[in-house]
């Protein structure tokens, strides 16, 4: 059984484990992209979130890999000992699960992520559909400026989180 929340059903997340959904979005204009993460505890309560613009490394998994790395960085900052990282990029999740980092351009970002992941006991990587990653995706797409969980959650994010929780 996979630890974490899946769309439409509630799976068991052990106490003390934080589930972090991560997503990246490439903007059509400019040389930046957005990364978004939302972290939840075993009750589904949002304990942290982030929406940032970063330099654009590329498309596809090149856009998703920095989002996962950012989620791991946030988890380290908060000092969470056990985490689940969820992404809607199946190729990236597969590479992270197989502990492979030596491939093309995304390799250094995956290497960083695997290093950060080694700091947690345990750290699981899970693929989820875009539907299950909707809040992180919205945060990545709307990364107008850097926002993080240290400030009050804007109403539009709170509404997304509430709508997402109601489907569990």
């Amino acid at each position: 059984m996979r630890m974490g929340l899946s769309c439409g059903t509630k799976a068991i997340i052990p106490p003390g484990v934080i589930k972090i959904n991560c997503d990246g979005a490439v903007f059509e204009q400019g040389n930046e992209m957005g990364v978004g993460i939302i972290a939840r505890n075993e009750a589904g309560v949002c304990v942290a979130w982030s929406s940032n613009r970063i330099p654009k490394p590329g498309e596809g998994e090149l856009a998703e890999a920095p989002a996962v790395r950012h989620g791991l960085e946030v988890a380290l900052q908060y000092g969470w000992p056990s985490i689940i990282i969820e992404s809607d990029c199946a190729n990236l999740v597969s590479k992270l699960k197989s502990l492979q980092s030596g491939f093309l351009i995304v390799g250094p970002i995956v290497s960083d992520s695997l290093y950060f992941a080694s700091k947690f006991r345990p750290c699981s990587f899970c693929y989820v559909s875009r539907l299950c990653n909707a809040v992180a995706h919205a945060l990545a797409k709307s990364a107008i400026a850097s926002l993080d969980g240290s400030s009050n959650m804007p109403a539009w994010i709170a509404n997304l989180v509430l709508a997402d929780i109601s489907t569990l």
Side-chain angles (χ1 to χ4, degrees), residues 93-111:
V93 170
S94 176
K95 289 171 183 171
L96 289 164
K97 282 182 164 185
S98 67
L99 305 177
Q100 295 177 354
S101 62
F103 38 80
L104 302 177
I105 301 167
V106 76
I109 298 170
V110 172
S111 290

Side-chain angles (χ1 to χ4, degrees), residues 4-115:
L5 297 178
S6 59
C7 288
T9 62
K10 188 168 183 176
I12 297 171
I13 298 177
V17 175
I18 301 295
K19 180 184 75 81
I20 305 168
N21 287 82
C22 309
D23 203 19
V26 176
F27 303 130
E28 291 183 23
Q29 299 176 359
N31 293 323
E32 293 181 311
M33 62 170 278
V35 294
I37 68 107
I38 181 158
R40 294 187 174 113
N41 64 16
E42 65 271 12
V45 175
C46 177
V47 294
W49 57 274
S50 178
S51 178
N52 295 303
R53 279 189 178 253
I54 63 169
K56 178 170 49 175
E59 306 286 332
E61 55 190 53
L62 283 175
E64 300 291 333
V68 168
R69 179 177 58 192
H70 181 64
L72 289 159
E73 290 169 337
V74 169
L76 284 170
Q77 290 171 359
Y78 277 89
W80 298 320
S82 302
I83 61 171
I84 299 166
I85 297 288
E86 292 188 340
S87 169
D88 57 23
C89 183
N91 288 340
L92 178 61
V93 170
S94 176
K95 289 171 183 171
L96 289 164
K97 282 182 164 185
S98 67
L99 305 177
Q100 295 177 354
S101 62
F103 38 80
L104 302 177
I105 301 167
V106 76
I109 298 170
V110 172
S111 290
D112 288 350
S113 295
L114 291 173
Y115 171 76

